Amino acid sequence: MRLYIAEKPSVGRALAACLPQPHRKGSGWIETGDGVVTWLFGHVLRQAEPEEYDPKLKRWRAEDLPILPEVWQLVVNESAAQQFAVVKGLIERADEIVHGGDPDREGQLLVDEVLDYLKNEKPVRRILINALDDKSIHDALNDLRDNRDFLPLKLSALARARADWLIGMNLSRAYTLAARRAGHDRLVLPIGRVKTPTLALVVRREREIENFKPATYYLLDAVFCHEKTGDNFHARWKPSEEHTPLDSEGRLVDEKAAQAALASFGAEPQDAKVTRYERKKKEEPPPLPFSLSALQVLAGKRYGYEPQQVLDTAQKLYEEKLTSYPRSDAEYLPVSQHKDAAKILSNLAALDGSELGTWAREADAKKKSRAWNDAKITAHHAIIPTTVPVNLTRLSAVERNIYELIARAYIAQFHPNCVYDQTKVEVTYHGELFAASGRTERAAGWRAMYRTAKNEEDVEKEDEESAVLPPMKKGDVADYVSAELGTRQTKPPSRFTPATLLQGMKEIHKYVKDEAAKKMLRDVSGIGTEATRASIIEDLIRRRFLNAAGKKKVLTPTAEAYLLIDALPDTMTYPDATAVWEDRLHSMAQGEGTPEEFLAGQAAFARDLCAAAQTATITGGGGIPCPACGRGVMQKRKGKHGAFWGCSAFPQCRMTANDADGKPDFTGKSIPRSAAETSGARPSTHPAPAYAPRGSYTPTANEQAEMDALFLD
């Protein structure tokens, strides 16, 4: 018997529908004329909790950290136990298995981990389903692979899952305990390998805005008359730092210098010379089809949709067989897919009353843009329409908008390049440089499809490049006509929205601290994955580390966010290390490196940061500061001899005091001089009592449930 294992029920049903009759449905499976189809519900196995390795680890204690499993364990999710039993029974009966997980590293792992857990030794083949329409599934069935070819994908996903566990479990415990020692009695600090540096992006951006001081700078635009043609043109003064005071960004901020320059330019002689003139014909290819992140960013900017909303909508369109697999990080298409172009464009051309129909009718199905590139394809391709016709009236407004974005990007691949002339001019006048640029469009090509949906960036860019310049050549003479001094003010950086924060996660090289790492990471795919970035942002909002306000969901950090980021060392809050790790995980998916090597580095990182947590300074906890160490706060305890007070930083600090009417009595206590001076307590040479509070913490059931969900990223 051949057994197909799909990632989810919807994929299983679509796959079964494309297999020969007769069909017979059972509980969690469908029997067909070519074997049985069953399915999972995503990850039916989960990483074991620390207390499932050792019951004593249920209590959070600093001395138990870091927790480093010697043999990693998986546990069947209770919610999926029934379906897991079905899959297990079918695997036992099967002669051959077809792995039908989603075509990415996470989809590869979630079926492979079940097979490994059950110690399967039967042959396994791989089917890559990029869309759920019948044609795509039949194509995939005719192209089954050997599952062993995808081992690097599994290993990469496995390394990522275990790294997230190591960082999340250990550092969340270590810094929650540090917060407890500082007097934050009920605060849980969730720390994640991707989640924390993402939160830090928002915290640092907010501080940039708070500390921003606007500065005025000056721009001088001159008008010159070309001597031969008599045509006027504008050029902007480019002051040199040698002769003019400029700020660190190369801007003219000295008003007196600006006014002096304006006055001097009106003096004789008033003839200028064209010292550079370039006019080049250029062609701009259409933008590539969408990866999930690119779709989420554009939909967020254009419609204000949140990333998770875009993913959910794209998933629904996929399950309705209208678009291809949504959790894709690819923006390219396999050459073999080009044969479907005529059918897809024909369906879109039939959409009367829609711009999609007009654009599709003008498309050339034979044209092959740069998007078709097998060298850029791994397990999946860009998000595109399928060969299934769409009825736009049956879609919700959000579904229609997302579908139209996807379809337009696909249609654009079959339109001509945009052709334009790019002109650059430099003029020397009074020994100073003036520059202008112009862009003259010859043929709009694909850009005609985007005229109706310009964003502000497009408009600003075209304004800068659309100056009309007369024909001229190097060495020509021009006469100075006039000049105008304008003022601008520097603006603070914009606050993140979910869409722009997701873009920041994808373009993480812009935010790394180390310049060498910045260059190295320019080409990496960012931090997080296409499937998890939206959920990470949503989780930070749900856990009230971020507030989302207004129609655009502008993000601002909460007090807890500042506390968490300030408590952690830069190695955890800056994205440098996480981005490097993501790069290594990507390389592992290509067959370079091993999980063991990668996880050894993660274990060392967890060990270092757990040690750093012992001396972390966390403020704002309230309570009575410990006069001995200055880091902890005094907490009331019950001991063998009655109530007493002990430092929350035990066992590092063993300061105790007797209870006096609900307050600690420091009379006669031995307090270090430096601490006594800052605390106001009286020093003493008397030793502290032998008893001391226990330095451990057992989370409540609700807190434990919160912690269980932390470690996807």
Side-chain angles (χ1 to χ4, degrees), residues 231-363:
D231 294 324
N232 287 349
F233 64 95
H234 291 76
R236 178 163 292 170
W237 179 39
K238 302 294 181 182
S240 67
E241 198 166 3
E242 294 177 7
H243 304 105
T244 311
L246 305 177
D247 69 2
S248 60
E249 301 295 324
R251 295 178 297 232
L252 176 57
V253 294
D254 188 323
E255 183 179 8
K256 289 183 178 179
Q259 293 289 358
L262 177 64
S264 70
F265 291 146
E268 296 289 343
Q270 294 192 328
D271 55 319
K273 180 175 285 189
V274 177
T275 50
R276 181 189 178 195
Y277 181 80
E278 290 183 1
R279 182 170 182 170
K280 294 182 179 179
K281 176 185 174 184
K282 292 192 174 183
E283 293 195 23
E284 184 181 4
L288 292 167
F290 288 112
S291 65
L292 175 60
S293 288
L295 179 62
Q296 288 169 316
V297 170
L298 183 59
K301 289 181 177 179
R302 185 147 300 158
Y303 301 113
Y305 297 157
E306 294 185 44
Q308 190 63 45
Q309 183 182 17
V310 177
L311 173 56
D312 292 342
T313 304
Q315 178 70 27
K316 187 171 182 182
L317 292 171
Y318 167 66
E319 294 183 358
E320 292 292 328
K321 306 183 180 183
L322 296 175
T323 57
S324 61
Y325 179 66
R327 291 174 174 81
S328 174
D329 61 356
E331 297 179 329
Y332 291 86
L333 300 167
V335 173
S336 61
Q337 200 282 333
H338 192 271
K339 65 181 182 298
D340 296 333
K343 175 64 175 173
I344 295 172
L345 290 172
S346 175
N347 289 339
L348 294 171
L351 296 173
D352 293 330
S354 167
E355 287 182 312
L356 292 178
T358 303
W359 297 332
R361 288 190 288 273
E362 295 170 351

Side-chain angles (χ1 to χ4, degrees), residues 600-676:
Q602 301 296 293
F605 184 82
R607 189 178 292 109
D608 291 344
L609 264 69
C610 284
Q614 296 293 323
T615 56
T617 300
I618 298 181
T619 59
I624 300 170
C626 172
C629 71
R631 292 198 314 272
V633 295
M634 300 304 292
Q635 296 177 334
K636 194 173 181 179
R637 310 284 187 173
K638 289 182 179 180
K640 292 185 294 182
H641 307 293
F644 72 98
W645 292 76
C647 179
S648 60
F650 178 86
Q652 287 75 26
C653 177
R654 295 179 175 271
M655 181 65 190
T656 61
N658 292 326
D659 178 63
D661 298 324
K663 294 182 180 179
D665 179 9
F666 297 115
T667 303
K669 294 298 175 183
S670 177
I671 301 172
R673 180 174 179 81
S674 59

Side-chain angles (χ1 to χ4, degrees), residues 109-147:
L109 175 63
L110 64 84
V111 175
D112 276 345
E113 67 186 2
V114 170
L115 299 175
D116 293 343
Y117 184 84
L118 296 174
K119 297 181 172 57
N120 173 70
E121 295 183 353
K122 295 170 182 178
V124 182
R125 304 182 78 185
R126 184 67 160 102
I127 182 171
L128 299 173
I129 300 176
N130 274 296
L132 296 184
D133 60 294
D134 290 357
K135 185 181 185 307
S136 295
I137 293 177
H138 281 298
D139 288 346
L141 285 167
N142 292 327
D143 188 27
L144 296 181
R145 317 278 184 87
D146 189 327
N147 192 53

Side-chain angles (χ1 to χ4, degrees), residues 23-194:
H23 287 183
R24 182 169 68 92
K25 294 183 179 180
S27 178
W29 52 269
I30 301 172
E31 185 177 0
T32 77
D34 186 36
V36 176
V37 178
T38 189
W39 46 81
L40 307 175
F41 299 114
H43 285 281
V44 300
L45 300 172
R46 62 170 174 81
Q47 294 282 345
E49 298 289 329
E51 59 268 28
E52 289 171 313
Y53 286 97
D54 186 343
K56 77 172 186 179
L57 295 176
K58 185 174 180 64
R59 171 168 287 169
W60 295 7
R61 304 192 312 165
E63 52 265 41
D64 292 331
L65 301 176
I67 303 165
L68 306 173
E70 293 183 8
V71 179
W72 289 88
Q73 297 177 20
L74 294 174
V75 178
V76 178
N77 271 313
E78 289 184 11
S79 60
Q82 184 176 346
Q83 184 63 17
F84 178 79
V86 170
V87 174
K88 180 179 182 230
L90 291 169
I91 288 175
E92 290 171 352
R93 292 172 45 206
D95 301 307
E96 180 188 57
I97 297 165
V98 178
H99 181 316
D102 282 350
D104 56 21
R105 68 182 183 185
E106 206 64 32
Q108 186 65 38
L109 175 63
L110 64 84
V111 175
D112 276 345
E113 67 186 2
V114 170
L115 299 175
D116 293 343
Y117 184 84
L118 296 174
K119 297 181 172 57
N120 173 70
E121 295 183 353
K122 295 170 182 178
V124 182
R125 304 182 78 185
R126 184 67 160 102
I127 182 171
L128 299 173
I129 300 176
N130 274 296
L132 296 184
D133 60 294
D134 290 357
K135 185 181 185 307
S136 295
I137 293 177
H138 281 298
D139 288 346
L141 285 167
N142 292 327
D143 188 27
L144 296 181
R145 317 278 184 87
D146 189 327
N147 192 53
R148 289 174 294 189
D149 295 344
F150 299 88
L151 177 62
L153 270 185
K154 178 186 83 170
L155 295 179
S156 175
L158 188 65
R160 174 181 169 272
R162 291 176 177 176
D164 289 342
W165 193 99
L166 286 173
I167 300 303
M169 286 292 182
N170 285 298
L171 300 190
S172 294
R173 288 186 175 214
Y175 283 89
T176 294
L177 288 170
R180 292 290 192 275
R181 292 193 294 270
H184 295 276
D185 289 339
R186 309 309 302 166
L187 182 64
V188 175
L189 295 181
I191 296 173
R193 186 180 60 85
V194 175

Side-chain angles (χ1 to χ4, degrees), residues 337-486:
Q337 200 282 333
H338 192 271
K339 65 181 182 298
D340 296 333
K343 175 64 175 173
I344 295 172
L345 290 172
S346 175
N347 289 339
L348 294 171
L351 296 173
D352 293 330
S354 167
E355 287 182 312
L356 292 178
T358 303
W359 297 332
R361 288 190 288 273
E362 295 170 351
D364 178 4
K366 295 179 181 179
K367 182 175 173 58
K368 192 174 288 185
S369 74
R370 62 185 173 132
W372 275 272
N373 187 337
D374 287 341
K376 300 282 189 178
I377 300 297
T378 53
H380 43 69
H381 59 64
I383 308 170
I384 61 171
T386 66
T387 56
V388 174
V390 63
N391 183 344
L392 293 176
T393 61
R394 296 184 61 183
L395 302 181
S396 69
V398 177
E399 290 166 357
R400 178 168 179 157
N401 286 338
I402 297 299
Y403 183 86
E404 287 181 343
L405 288 178
I406 294 169
R408 183 181 64 173
Y410 183 78
I411 296 170
Q413 308 309 312
F414 304 95
H415 278 242
N417 289 347
C418 173
V419 183
Y420 62 94
D421 288 332
Q422 179 70 60
T423 308
K424 292 184 179 181
V425 174
E426 290 181 0
V427 175
T428 300
Y429 177 65
H430 279 216
E432 296 287 338
L433 181 67
F434 292 76
S437 62
R439 174 172 169 148
T440 305
E441 195 169 82
R442 292 189 179 191
W446 62 269
R447 272 195 169 271
M449 297 170 53
Y450 288 74
R451 297 292 191 211
T452 58
K454 288 181 183 176
N455 58 38
E456 292 179 3
E457 292 178 3
D458 292 333
V459 173
E460 289 180 6
K461 185 177 179 182
E462 289 190 12
D463 284 346
E464 291 176 2
E465 297 181 346
S466 60
V468 177
L469 297 171
M472 59 184 90
K473 64 180 184 296
K474 182 178 178 180
D476 282 359
V477 175
D479 293 324
Y480 173 84
V481 177
S482 63
E484 182 179 1
L485 190 64

